[in-house]
């Protein structure tokens, strides 16, 4: 019985550590999905469904979607914080996409909004956004 439990534990542990592989079908779907990333919920779903394909032109599209949400829909920052509280990996995904592929104007606007218009309850997230944007400007 002990061996069965040990083997089952080993199987479950090793199975959960394997990363998803981006298949050609996943990449095609991820590429198509970029055009529909117009809400924090859509971005979060995309990160779960196609995170394994987050590279190259797909990653650039994801970064642009994150920038559009931060710059154009800043008033929805509270929704982002709520999603992050349910899915902490989303914060890393968002910060990863505040990157050097974004326009300098967008990065500066993210810094400005995070500095001057950050709701009190989102201060920690805003500080991280400022840091990511400043690093990307370097």
């Amino acid at each position: 019985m002990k061996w069965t439990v040990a083997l089952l534990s080993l199987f479950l542990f090793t199975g959960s550590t394997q990363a998803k592989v981006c298949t050609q079908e996943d990449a095609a779907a991820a590429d198509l999905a970029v055009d529909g990333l117009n809400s924090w919920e859509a971005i979060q779903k995309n990160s779960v469904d196609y995170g394994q394909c987050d590279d190259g032109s797909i990653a650039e599209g994801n970064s642009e979607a994150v920038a559009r949400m931060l710059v154009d829909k800043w008033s929805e920052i509270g929704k982002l914080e709520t999603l992050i509280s349910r899915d902490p990996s989303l914060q890393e995904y968002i910060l990863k996409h505040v990157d050097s592929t974004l326009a300098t104007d967008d990065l500066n606007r993210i810094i400005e909004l995070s500095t001057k218009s950050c709701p009190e309850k989102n201060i920690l997230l805003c500080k991280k956004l400022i840091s990511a944007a400043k690093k990307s400007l370097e």
Side-chain angles (χ1 to χ4, degrees):
M1 179 68 175
K2 288 182 183 179
W3 283 104
T4 304
V5 171
L7 285 174
L8 183 58
S9 297
L10 180 62
F11 174 76
L12 290 173
F13 176 74
T14 57
S16 66
T17 60
Q18 293 178 353
K20 286 184 182 180
V21 174
C22 181
T23 65
Q24 287 182 335
E25 293 82 16
D26 290 341
D31 193 37
L32 287 173
V34 168
D35 291 335
L37 300 180
N38 55 11
S39 71
W40 289 122
E41 293 84 359
I43 290 172
Q44 190 271 337
K45 183 177 183 333
N46 187 66
S47 74
V48 171
D49 292 348
Y50 304 115
Q52 71 273 19
C53 298
D54 194 27
D55 195 20
S57 64
I58 293 169
E60 286 183 32
N62 292 336
S63 294
E64 184 62 24
V66 167
R68 295 287 49 87
M69 287 299 299
L70 291 170
V71 172
D72 300 338
K73 298 183 180 181
W74 179 258
S75 63
E76 297 182 20
I77 194 76
K79 288 181 185 178
L80 174 59
E81 188 78 50
T82 299
L83 288 170
I84 288 171
S85 70
R86 291 187 216 140
D87 178 6
S89 67
L90 179 59
Q91 179 174 283
E92 181 181 333
Y93 183 83
I94 296 301
L95 294 173
K96 171 185 165 185
H97 286 290
V98 177
D99 62 23
S100 61
T101 67
L102 299 179
T104 300
D105 288 347
D106 285 342
L107 291 167
N108 284 324
R109 185 74 176 136
I110 291 167
I111 293 168
E112 179 183 355
L113 289 165
S114 297
T115 302
K116 297 179 180 177
S117 302
C118 186
E120 185 71 30
K121 65 182 180 176
N122 305 119
I123 294 291
L124 184 56
L125 175 59
C126 288
K127 287 181 179 181
K128 290 178 180 180
L129 289 169
I130 292 166
S131 178
K134 285 184 175 179
K135 183 178 178 184
S136 297
L137 286 169
E138 293 176 352

